[in-house]
Amino acid sequence: QVQLVESGGGLVQPGGSLRLSCAASGSIFSINVMGWYRQAPGKQRELVAAITSTGSINYVDSVKDRFTISRDNAKNTVYLQMNNLKPEDTAVYYCNYKSIGINYWGKGTLVTVSS
């Protein structure tokens, strides 16, 4: 079992910044992928960014040059620095942990971008 605890969501004005954190605990395998997905009202959940345990990174095109994903392997924690936020970034953001044959989700944290 892997538990994921997210933090850092909230309300921010357009152009503002937020930093999301996700701490993983439990049966953590050294080879894994941690990432952030988001789901806006009425839309499907989509991958925002993911980072492997060896540091390979993938972003959805809409957040490139605005969001930065990073991780601290010693703390089993993944971060998402979100800059220049736009109203279309409003969504529930979910942390995800994948390893061989397993896939876990956090409960989600709401990010609202509005003036």
Side-chain angles (χ1 to χ4, degrees):
Q1 289 282 337
V2 174
Q3 294 77 42
L4 301 172
V5 178
E6 301 126 329
S7 61
L11 173 65
V12 64
Q13 293 186 342
S17 297
L18 282 175
R19 189 191 194 209
L20 305 183
S21 299
C22 172
S25 61
S27 301
I28 305 297
F29 292 95
S30 59
I31 300 174
N32 60 68
V33 181
M34 294 188 73
W36 292 94
Y37 288 71
R38 66 186 179 187
Q39 187 165 19
K43 295 189 176 181
Q44 289 189 330
R45 190 174 298 190
E46 66 170 353
L47 173 67
V48 177
I51 182 168
T52 70
S53 48
T54 56
S56 295
I57 291 173
N58 184 39
Y59 294 102
V60 67
D61 286 347
S62 61
V63 307
K64 285 179 180 177
D65 300 323
R66 299 189 298 122
F67 291 10
T68 302
I69 191 169
S70 60
R71 63 187 290 165
D72 183 335
N73 287 335
K75 297 181 179 179
N76 293 320
T77 299
V78 64
Y79 307 96
L80 186 67
Q81 177 65 43
M82 305 185 292
N83 297 329
N84 190 21
L85 282 158
K86 303 176 180 181
E88 52 263 41
D89 295 316
T90 295
V92 177
Y93 284 70
Y94 296 91
C95 181
N96 178 260
Y97 170 94
K98 290 186 180 67
S99 190
I100 299 171
I102 58 175
N103 185 20
Y104 289 95
W105 294 93
K107 293 183 178 180
T109 184
L110 178 63
V111 172
T112 303
V113 185
S114 175
S115 55

